[in-house]
Amino acid sequence: AAMALAFLSETGGPDIASRVPLRTVPELVALLQKRIFAANAEEIVQSRLFCGLPLYFRSRFVLQTILRLVEQSGAHCATAWRTPLPELVSGLLEGELPSDAEENKPFGSPEALDLALPCAEALLKAEGAGSPESRASLEVALRLARGSDSSASAAP
């Protein structure tokens, strides 16, 4: 239910996001972390990571859920700073962590890397959240990602 509400908060705004318990954020980040570090599809299905179901899912799905919460709710954003999310987002932006596999990326569908940039931006909007070191690390990763995006789009 928390995931559905988080997705709905994109259009429903902060009122919908406020209905998602804050304790959900660390749980979603832990799910994202486990999914990112899973070796293969078989491991993901056998581990029943997704709500106890034997289901393959993309890390983008979980990151998008978290993104909607940190965009719409300052309390959820502050909670996210107390999890490994800033480090995971930095790792995605810097290419140190794997994004969604190419063969699992439907045409035109964003991958985790595509959502890491707006997630970093949303996290950094929360003034006073996170340690100075974590914020600086995320800012550097964001600058690098923006630089590589603009250089890639400027190429002929």
Side-chain angles (χ1 to χ4, degrees):
M3 288 181 123
L5 286 173
F7 276 120
L8 290 172
S9 73
E10 180 176 13
T11 55
D15 181 53
I16 299 293
S18 70
R19 298 168 196 254
V20 177
L22 292 176
R23 70 178 181 276
T24 304
V25 174
E27 294 169 2
L28 289 171
V29 173
L31 177 63
L32 175 64
Q33 189 171 25
K34 289 175 185 172
R35 172 56 187 91
I36 286 173
F37 290 106
N40 55 46
E42 185 177 316
E43 180 182 333
I44 294 164
V45 172
Q46 287 181 350
S47 67
R48 296 177 172 261
L49 285 175
F50 191 80
C51 305
L53 299 173
L55 181 70
Y56 181 81
F57 64 99
R58 294 171 51 199
S59 52
R60 179 214 38 107
F61 180 74
V62 181
L63 186 55
Q64 187 172 1
T65 304
I66 297 166
L67 170 62
R68 298 303 170 229
L69 290 174
V70 299
E71 283 178 328
Q72 297 295 332
S73 166
H76 288 88
C77 189
T79 302
W81 272 103
R82 293 188 298 273
T83 71
L85 183 63
E87 291 81 14
L88 292 172
V89 169
S90 291
L92 285 166
L93 291 173
E94 294 170 348
E96 295 174 1
L97 294 177
S99 189
D100 296 316
E102 187 63 37
E103 64 272 6
N104 188 44
K105 188 173 142 184
F107 180 75
S109 177
E111 60 179 293
L113 179 59
D114 299 325
L115 296 170
L117 193 125
C119 192
E121 292 169 340
L123 285 168
L124 290 169
K125 284 182 184 175
E127 294 183 26
S131 70
E133 298 81 16
S134 292
R135 291 185 71 83
S137 176
L138 189 55
E139 287 170 351
V140 167
L142 185 57
R143 269 195 309 277
L144 289 171
R146 284 181 177 153
S148 65
D149 283 348
S150 63
S151 65
S153 61

